[in-house]
Amino acid sequence: MWSSTTTLCLSSLLLVLVLLSFSGANSYTNPKIIGKGYRLISIEDTPDGGILGHLQLKQKSKTYGPDIPLLQLFVKHETDQRLRVHITDAQKQRWEVPYNLLPREQPPSLKQTIGRSKDPITVSEYSSSELVFSYTADPFGFVVKRKSDKQVLFNTSSDSSDPYGEMVFKDQYLEISTKLPKDASLYGLGENSQPHGIKLYPNEPYTLYTTDVSAINLNTDLYGSHPVYMDLRNVGGEAYAHAVLLLNSNGMEVFYRGNSLTYKVIGGVFDFYFFSGTSPLTVVDQYTSFIGRPAPMPYWSLGFHQCRWGYHNLSVVEDVVANYEKAQIPLDVIWTDDDHMDVRKDFTLSAMNFPRPKLLAFLDKIHKIGMKYVVIVDPGIGVNSTYGVYQRGLANDVFIKYDNEPYLAQVWPGAVNFPDFLNPKTVSWWSDEIKRFHELVPVDGLWIDMNEASNFCSGKCTIPKGTTCPTPGIPGWICCLDCKNITKTRWDDPPYKINASGLQVPLGFKTIATSAYHYNGVLEYDAHSLYGFSQTIATHQGLQGIAGKRPFILTRSTYVGSGKYAAHWTGDNKGTWEDLKLSISTVLNFGIFGVPMVGSDICGFYPAPTEELCNRWIEVGAFYPFSRDHANFASPRQELYQWESVAESARNALGMRYKLLPYLYTLTYEAHISGAPIARPLFFSFPTYTECYGLSTQFLLGSGLLISPVVEEGKSEVKALFPPGSWYSLFDMTQAVNSKGQYVTLNAPLHVVNVHLYQNIILPMQQGGTVSKEARKTPFSLVVTFPAGASNATAKGNLFIDDDELPEMKLGSGYSTYVDLYATVSQGYVKVWSEVQEGKFALDQGLIVEKVSVLGLDGTGGASALEVDGTTVTSVSNIELSTLEQEYQEEVEDGENKTKSVMVQVNGLSLPVGKNFAMSWKMSAKG
């Protein structure tokens, strides 16, 4: 939804941004060295296999406040691949991310008495099978190495040549740095819109503090906070990846200089987690095993979604659904923004615009064909004496406080209070409100927005007497409360100013005052960036309690671990070519963050996109993991049927998406069990191919389905990078690219998006449709790819099917089937077979494989001697065997022959998906 900060006049900000860029640049080139660090004065083993030490301040400094004189160091190899380094005040408990929000091991309690080690400490090591922690006593520093290849992953030591100093630990300022090799490629540290693409760019600001600032703002702290980065290195032709997480929810800045990285954090503790890798996929597996595996998603969530802020009544919504059906464009989910509400109040229904009897009849109609309905819920609860949700909240004392009363803010309903989701009573109250609303309207999912938290006012506010707020005729995002700035505490005006909102605004600007407090006295200053995360957990709990179905939640604000509960969209973007390009990088970053179900507003949230842009955007957005068109009320209507040209592109691109739904759903299962991103940068599958390390205009779905869209205006071709190997066009499988690792120019007229499948893969597809419920009942086809002309090769794939209404996504329930798919070509024979686990569910659904296509085969004479499940297929069978020649785009050097191969298709099959099958045939040369 459009926010107050979205409406800031960009031109008026430019001068401020330019001025700040100079001060920001000085932070990189002329950093301030603070203090002399700490010395290690004691060290001992702990009963749980860790080490516990104490660090004593070497020299006091007054910059940014007094130092904490004594620190506790705790180090533990929690697994062979995960190392934790925890540093906190040795004498006083400090704020940390709550252990009930993100479950993990507790460090040892603080010791009351601390003695010095009798013997001098110089250098020592503490190792697991994969990671080595070593330390230097004076000044204290530590190094993390990977044992298998001796690479240094993190090194906090400094000398006079470094642009940073020793570790600093004050109450409201923590600083620590690490050296980096110059050729390391870094990814992560979001959420932000990165103008240079997915790869982190040296000497650009990376500020982490959840903020309602639209995604059009570059290099700015946006809706989420993810203080984790992946480091990918190519050493001697071998690729090595690892990740580093600083688990801290306070505002922070991370300064990346190319050969070093410095954290500057305004509170909390140092709680580092190191994940050894060594492949990018393994890193994400290790990371999500710690923060929580991505949530299981219902099958329908992979369909296409349509939303708009401004569907003012039910008739408009009905018309949208009817027009999608008329245009034969796939649509699974219709959404409403706050239009369905009674005066924008959560968990209510407008009796005039969305009369309940008519709405229930509409939902019954769409539910019968498998469509779904999702609505928005904002965290701000309208202050209204006749509003039951608010009154029940007051009675249960669920709101964040300031000066012993609920903190007053303004969002869409006007004056609001914010629920405190750190309070267990709030979670119970919120779950009850979800249940009450679901009884009123049987929605299929919830969209939680504005949860950074967004506030149209700043400071301490009161409701003005004698006036109405919001003021009639004035935009709802204009503050109409009586407010005073709060600067009286060190929480509202901390000594170190992070570059909040890209403008170094006060921390409480357009959000909850940072001196407000939560349950048990927790300060908003500390918990701010956890607000959306805590609301997501509460919403998940509430939805889980309804009808035993798998929850679907879309959240704007995210933190470490949000993917365990929800999907994410990238917020308020613009209908511009630049925003189209930026969306790809952000989507890929969230896969690394453990939030694989992610997408951007297709065609842009505002203002109006051009017809050409919307054509190209649906050709990208059809392959986002989460695919939704959403627009602002002030923009012209941009549903995909509004332009016939866009409708044609949508039928083409979404038509392919719906054929790929079984593959996409299998990828969500892989994400759920291993964290594997659905949409991936190319380096996930080709980590040694350095040319793709910064590639941000193409992406993979899974390990080998390459999307190469047009993201520039006026183009009818696209220059696409193809890693070495054979790539087959999914729209025309007789067309292929044989690459030695180079860019290839592909034709891409307006309605064409290039999608290629890599070699050695078996891709399950179905026949598609306009609603996923029907599409998933259609017969399967299998696409098998071998390297072009290979005489000996293998291919693999898999397929997961289940009852997607069930809360759990797993085998062993009796309501799921998993199929491993295999193929080989050897000595002129092709074999394709399956191995099924728990086939009953697929058999009960009556699912069959109708067609198998094998690509890249060597042979010019065709296929013969077909056997299916040990039986020779005769000419009187319904099964047909056909052969087609394939054409390749490739670079052929002098003396080389052009690649020749054929595609063999087996049609007319009726192989039960839930039962093992095997087929084979012989490839013969032309006589």
Side-chain angles (χ1 to χ4, degrees), residues 581-599:
K581 279 189 277 191
L582 289 170
S583 74
I584 297 174
S585 296
T586 307
V587 165
L588 295 180
N589 259 325
F590 269 87
I592 294 172
F593 296 152
V595 190
M597 189 64 167
V598 58

Side-chain angles (χ1 to χ4, degrees), residues 123-281:
V123 177
S124 188
E125 288 192 350
Y126 168 60
S127 66
S128 70
S129 63
E130 190 53 32
L131 290 171
V132 178
F133 173 87
S134 62
Y135 56 85
T136 304
D138 191 3
F140 173 75
F142 68 88
V143 172
V144 177
K145 295 180 182 178
R146 193 165 38 227
K147 185 182 289 187
S148 59
D149 52 48
K150 312 300 182 187
Q151 286 190 50
V152 174
L153 312 186
F154 204 81
N155 181 1
T156 70
S157 64
S158 69
D159 55 49
S160 58
S161 65
D162 290 319
Y164 53 85
E166 301 293 342
M167 183 178 74
V168 180
F169 205 118
K170 300 169 183 280
D171 190 27
Q172 289 183 268
Y173 182 80
L174 286 68
E175 180 182 320
I176 196 167
S177 301
T178 179
K179 301 177 191 294
L180 290 169
K182 288 184 178 180
D183 59 351
S185 296
L186 268 58
Y187 310 88
L189 297 178
E191 176 179 9
N192 59 24
S193 295
Q194 299 172 192
H196 298 286
I198 187 173
K199 188 175 172 181
L200 297 186
Y201 199 76
N203 299 330
E204 288 198 343
Y206 296 98
T207 304
L208 280 68
Y209 187 73
T210 61
T211 308
D212 178 8
V213 174
S214 70
I216 68 173
N217 294 280
L218 305 180
N219 290 329
T220 301
D221 48 313
L222 299 181
Y223 310 106
S225 176
H226 293 271
V228 61
Y229 69 86
M230 180 186 292
D231 180 332
L232 176 61
R233 305 172 187 177
N234 190 290
V235 181
E238 295 293 325
Y240 301 91
H242 68 273
V244 179
L245 166 68
L246 173 55
L247 189 59
N248 182 303
S249 63
N250 290 83
M252 70 176 74
E253 292 177 329
V254 186
F255 295 87
Y256 172 49
R257 302 179 186 86
N259 59 1
S260 67
L261 185 144
T262 298
Y263 297 89
K264 297 185 177 183
V265 193
I266 60 172
V269 303
F270 287 133
D271 196 3
F272 282 104
Y273 291 83
F274 300 92
F275 305 89
S276 65
T278 58
S279 74
L281 208 55

Side-chain angles (χ1 to χ4, degrees), residues 613-780:
L613 175 61
C614 207
N615 269 278
R616 293 309 191 185
W617 209 319
I618 186 55
E619 290 172 353
V620 178
F623 301 100
Y624 292 151
F626 172 66
S627 183
R628 184 183 72 156
D629 181 317
H630 179 45
N632 178 269
F633 72 91
S635 299
R637 295 282 290 271
Q638 65 181 45
E639 293 85 6
L640 301 179
Y641 54 77
Q642 295 290 345
W643 304 271
E644 180 48 42
S645 71
V646 177
E648 184 177 342
S649 293
R651 284 189 289 268
N652 185 50
L654 287 173
M656 179 58 73
R657 180 188 182 91
Y658 273 61
K659 291 176 183 178
L660 290 169
L661 284 177
Y663 176 65
L664 291 172
Y665 193 64
T666 301
L667 291 178
T668 68
Y669 174 69
E670 291 181 1
H672 180 56
I673 62 172
S674 71
I678 299 170
R680 306 173 192 176
L682 271 69
F683 65 75
F684 265 68
S685 290
F686 305 94
T688 62
Y689 185 51
T690 56
E691 287 83 351
C692 68
Y693 281 13
L695 186 63
S696 303
T697 54
Q698 297 169 255
F699 59 96
L700 295 169
L701 290 177
S703 62
L705 192 62
L706 178 63
I707 316 299
S708 304
V710 173
V711 292
E712 294 179 325
E713 187 175 9
K715 301 290 187 182
S716 59
E717 57 186 26
V718 61
K719 190 177 180 182
L721 181 65
F722 285 87
S726 301
W727 297 85
Y728 300 92
S729 170
L730 211 55
F731 283 97
D732 181 356
M733 289 182 278
T734 65
Q735 302 299 307
V737 172
N738 213 25
S739 175
K740 297 177 181 177
Q742 76 266 2
Y743 281 91
V744 176
T745 299
L746 304 171
N747 288 328
L750 190 61
H751 306 304
V752 170
V753 57
N754 281 278
V755 179
H756 288 82
L757 183 63
Y758 192 55
Q759 64 192 34
N760 307 115
I761 288 173
I762 303 179
L763 177 73
M765 300 175 68
Q766 286 175 284
Q767 293 180 357
T770 56
V771 179
S772 67
K773 180 180 179 180
E774 294 305 315
R776 74 182 306 198
K777 296 176 182 177
T778 60
F780 279 83

Side-chain angles (χ1 to χ4, degrees), residues 809-829:
M809 191 181 205
K810 64 181 182 179
L811 288 171
S813 65
Y815 295 93
S816 58
T817 296
Y818 187 86
V819 184
D820 282 304
L821 301 163
Y822 301 94
T824 61
V825 57
S826 178
Q827 298 179 341
Y829 280 89

Side-chain angles (χ1 to χ4, degrees), residues 2 41 116 130 217 251 280 356 384 410 497 508 514 581 706:
W2 210 352
I41 60 169
R116 287 179 179 270
E130 190 53 32
N217 294 280
R356 184 169 182 259
N384 187 317
Q410 180 187 328
K497 310 294 190 291
T514 43
K581 279 189 277 191
L706 178 63

